[in-house]
Amino acid sequence: MKERPRLLAVFGTRPEAIKLAPVIRALRARPELEVGVAVTAQHREMLDQVLDLFDLTPEYDLDLMQTGQELPDLTGRILGGLQPLLRAEQPRLVLVQGDTTTAFAAALAAFYSRVSVAHVEAGLRTESKYSPWPEEINRRLVTVLADWHFAPTEAAAANLRREGVPAGRIHVTGNTVIDALRMVTRPDHRFRSEALAAWLAAAAGRRLLLVTLHRRENWGAALGDICRGLRDILAEFPDTALILPLHKNPAVRAVITDTLGAAAAPERLCLCEPLDYADFANLMGRAYLIVTDSGGVQEEAPSLGKPLVVARDTTERPEIVARGGAVLAGAGGAAVSEALRRLLTDDALYARMAGAGNPYGDGRAAERIVSVLTAAIFGH
Ligand code: UD1
Ligand code: UDP
């Protein structure tokens, strides 16, 4: 039997896994292709949660995560770890996603092995070198290395054209996170975490503020300040309850638990472990509003009709801010609490933001990506 062209998806963190899972599923539905999965495990537990949920078993697991890993060392270990397997596999192309160190280093490793690169979620830009750090530059470096650029939105495609990427190499597909979100959200979702289900029952009747915070450029003082802003809001609005699934990073959780840990009674405040994606997605559906510095959450919240306060100074996802569904508050406590105060007191503003609509995709991004790739490989 003729050998099928083999593609290799390489990823390492929670968001990459969530956003590549629909693409891998769509590729596996094509009998004329083979797709392998290699994980760097830049994240360990948070990656494994997603692998379990989407039933993905990697052929290769570099198992690289170290506590408190630093960028140069992580980059070097990814390059070194991928080289032998790329040499042995010689895939037709490597698929990477987003702006993490894994995405950048995997694209570079593929280049060193003269393997083509397809970049999912290409073209997002803040135009600010250190914000988000290091993601803005990681994503630009992947652009230089990539042969196929899958832009989630027209604005992202325009950024790529402006930088000289040939128009024929850019495909606007929507963001695959919307595909993933649709795969896991259900009106009758039963929360897998019993602790979460119990807390939700205790908090019932209150307006639920869902928060995620982890950005590297905010580690330390800025993160503490944002948490103090949240503490003020809990004190001012007794009809609210706040849930914050903590990132696994010890540097992030220490600041959050120190600043926010005792801010309200347990039925009004939950600092929990990272939630399984199905639980988290369905929890977003129950939230009154969302506060985040996450990339993926900025894309998901609008498709669930949830007003969003972005606790960052810049965003590479300006579409929802432009539509009025999100406020780019800044990475400061007073700015975040002021944005929340407005949303919690102004019903008309809340309704406008909740109704802003979703600019990030229709749930068929993976299908479009796979059509482009199969056409490129088979010439039809
Ligand atoms: C990484 C990405 C960031 C992405 C984020 C998603 C880089 C440089 N950063 O940031 O773009 O937004 O993932 O969450 O690529 N840890 C665990 N268990 C885990 C995951 C992390 O213990 O499952 C701890 C480890 O101590 C690790 C630390 O968190 O060293 C930081 O992880 P790392 O991947 O370097 O950075 P993130 O801030 O997670
Ligand atoms: N997420 C999750 N469990 C959580 C918090 C977030 O599954 O407890 C999901 C979220 O829905 C989104 C993704 O993780 O799809 C975002 O990951 P993260 O914020 O870590 O990374 P970023 O998107 O900022 O790179």
Side-chain angles (χ1 to χ4, degrees):
M1 192 179 129
K2 209 165 146 246
E3 256 188 38
R4 298 180 294 166
R6 184 161 163 85
L7 282 49
L8 190 67
V10 183
F11 53 95
T13 67
R14 169 171 70 189
E16 295 163 79
I18 291 170
K19 290 171 170 179
L20 281 179
V23 184
I24 294 166
R25 187 173 286 189
L27 284 167
R28 291 209 160 133
R30 297 287 182 124
E32 68 274 34
L33 283 172
E34 245 184 85
V35 59
V37 171
V39 297
T40 63
Q42 173 179 338
H43 284 174
R44 184 71 277 171
E45 302 91 328
M46 285 161 53
L47 173 71
D48 291 344
Q49 279 184 317
V50 185
L51 296 176
D52 286 350
L53 178 70
F54 289 106
D55 203 16
L56 290 171
T57 310
E59 279 94 333
Y60 303 95
D61 188 336
L62 302 183
D63 198 21
L64 289 181
M65 193 193 81
Q66 292 178 356
T67 304
Q69 59 206 4
E70 297 203 14
L71 301 176
D73 176 57
L74 177 63
T75 306
R77 288 187 293 116
I78 295 170
L79 281 172
L82 287 176
Q83 192 199 13
L85 79 87
L86 285 171
R87 194 176 285 155
E89 280 259 331
Q90 283 295 316
R92 175 69 177 74
L93 64 87
V94 159
L95 201 60
V96 299
Q97 194 284 333
D99 59 7
T100 65
T101 293
T102 288
F104 157 57
L108 184 58
F111 169 68
Y112 285 160
S113 296
R114 294 176 182 268
V115 172
S116 303
V117 175
H119 187 200
V120 176
E121 201 185 74
L124 281 64
R125 299 287 186 264
T126 61
E127 309 296 342
S128 171
K129 187 173 177 183
Y130 292 104
S131 179
W133 177 77
E135 291 83 1
E136 172 74 3
I137 296 301
N138 278 348
R139 201 186 294 270
R140 285 172 181 267
L141 292 168
V142 180
T143 295
V144 174
L145 294 161
D147 303 279
W148 288 274
H149 307 259
F150 296 111
T153 64
E154 192 42 59
N159 291 336
L160 293 168
R161 286 194 295 270
R162 211 169 29 248
E163 291 170 15
V165 177
R169 292 276 172 187
I170 304 169
H171 304 274
V172 179
T173 59
N175 198 306
T176 57
V177 81
I178 306 300
D179 306 29
L181 190 67
R182 295 203 177 169
M183 285 155 78
V184 301
T185 41
R186 308 211 149 68
D188 60 346
H189 176 76
R190 274 177 62 100
F191 289 96
R192 294 157 197 241
S193 161
E194 285 173 21
L196 171 62
W199 184 81
L200 284 172
R206 296 196 163 87
R207 292 189 284 181
L208 196 61
L209 316 181
L210 173 58
V211 184
T212 76
L213 296 167
H214 72 79
R215 291 247 81 83
R216 220 169 245 267
E217 68 274 12
N218 292 346
W219 289 3
L223 187 57
D225 196 37
I226 294 168
C227 290
R228 277 185 291 278
L230 296 171
R231 201 170 63 190
D232 292 348
I233 291 298
L234 277 171
E236 277 173 52
F237 295 91
D239 70 328
T240 58
L242 187 151
I243 179 163
L244 192 163
L246 292 160
H247 192 284
K248 273 284 178 195
N249 186 345
V252 171
R253 40 179 64 203
V255 175
I256 296 175
T257 46
D258 287 356
T259 336
L260 203 56
E267 68 277 13
R268 292 190 57 217
L269 176 64
C270 177
L271 304 182
C272 60
E273 288 302 312
L275 294 169
D276 161 87
Y277 182 54
D279 273 3
F280 185 79
N282 287 284
L283 180 62
M284 281 192 284
R286 302 263 195 108
Y288 184 72
L289 57 81
I290 299 178
V291 182
T292 196
D293 64 10
S294 156
V297 176
Q298 287 179 65
E299 294 149 350
E300 293 162 334
S303 94
L304 298 166
K306 302 300 170 180
L308 194 61
V309 173
V310 181
R312 291 174 50 176
D313 293 326
T314 60
T315 182
E316 62 285 72
R317 293 161 169 94
E319 295 86 351
I320 190 60
V321 179
R323 274 188 184 218
V327 181
L328 184 61
V336 169
S337 60
E338 191 42 42
L340 286 172
R341 208 167 277 120
R342 277 199 298 273
L343 257 168
L344 289 165
T345 51
D346 184 341
D347 291 345
L349 172 67
Y350 181 91
R352 272 200 309 281
M353 287 183 72
N358 157 37
Y360 294 118
D362 60 1
R364 295 179 52 207
E367 201 184 295
R368 293 188 188 97
I369 289 168
V370 171
S371 296
V372 171
L373 291 178
T374 45
I377 291 169
F378 297 106
H380 55 76

